[in-house]
Amino acid sequence: MSLFAIFGPPVITVFLVAFGAVPYGLWVTKKKPSRPARWAVLGVAAAIAAYGAGTDYGLAFTNPLDLCADKTPDGLRWQSPGHYSLTSVHVSSFPLSVECHWTSGYSTEAVWFWASPLLYAGLACSLLCCALLLRDRRYPRGVVTFRRTPPPPPPPHPPTSPR
């Protein structure tokens, strides 16, 4: 039995987030990035974590039948509460979806309910912050005056007498 089967995605997700917090913390303390840069990185990290957890770290693409049902010794896959046989599995990579179809006509979704909203929120956050970073790079603060009068010019220097 693999560690993935024993611990499952929640423990692996917590481990990966804790493991990623160290480089992020070092980057923030050493480089002192702007707030939009920090939120862009956090948005990308949230999207990656949601996609990885939603696809059970690739298991949805390599062996989706294992996500839906237990395998009996004779090779049939069945759902223990209703004792129905698995007929098919539909996997979609974007949006996240692993849909299991049973002989009873019932379908179940194997992707966690929070994976897709977190994926979209992380992508939206990172895109918005990247747009803010590009705007701030093109128009640094204080250069563009919008609907404001420019400051008055500095007073002229008094003439100095030659000695």
Side-chain angles (χ1 to χ4, degrees), residues 19-53:
F19 188 71
V22 172
Y24 176 77
L26 289 173
W27 175 64
V28 167
T29 56
K30 297 284 185 194
K31 296 285 185 174
K32 307 276 191 252
S34 65
R35 181 172 287 149
R38 290 188 308 232
W39 278 102
V41 169
L42 288 175
V44 168
I48 290 171
Y51 195 79

Side-chain angles (χ1 to χ4, degrees), residues 128-145:
L128 177 68
C129 290
C130 286
L132 288 174
L133 286 170
L134 288 174
R135 184 204 61 183
D136 289 346
R137 185 174 182 91
R138 183 169 175 149
Y139 303 112
R141 293 184 187 261
V143 173
V144 175
T145 56

Side-chain angles (χ1 to χ4, degrees), residues 19-106:
F19 188 71
V22 172
Y24 176 77
L26 289 173
W27 175 64
V28 167
T29 56
K30 297 284 185 194
K31 296 285 185 174
K32 307 276 191 252
S34 65
R35 181 172 287 149
R38 290 188 308 232
W39 278 102
V41 169
L42 288 175
V44 168
I48 290 171
Y51 195 79
T55 60
D56 283 328
Y57 304 100
L59 194 59
F61 302 117
T62 58
N63 200 357
L65 297 176
D66 284 345
L67 291 178
C68 293
D70 296 327
K71 190 174 184 179
T72 60
D74 59 351
L76 289 175
R77 297 186 186 276
W78 59 284
Q79 183 184 25
S80 51
H83 299 291
Y84 295 110
S85 296
L86 182 65
T87 58
S88 65
V89 176
H90 175 70
V91 178
S92 174
S93 59
F94 200 81
L96 296 173
S97 175
V98 179
E99 199 171 315
C100 309
H101 303 282
W102 305 95
T103 54
S104 65
Y106 185 67

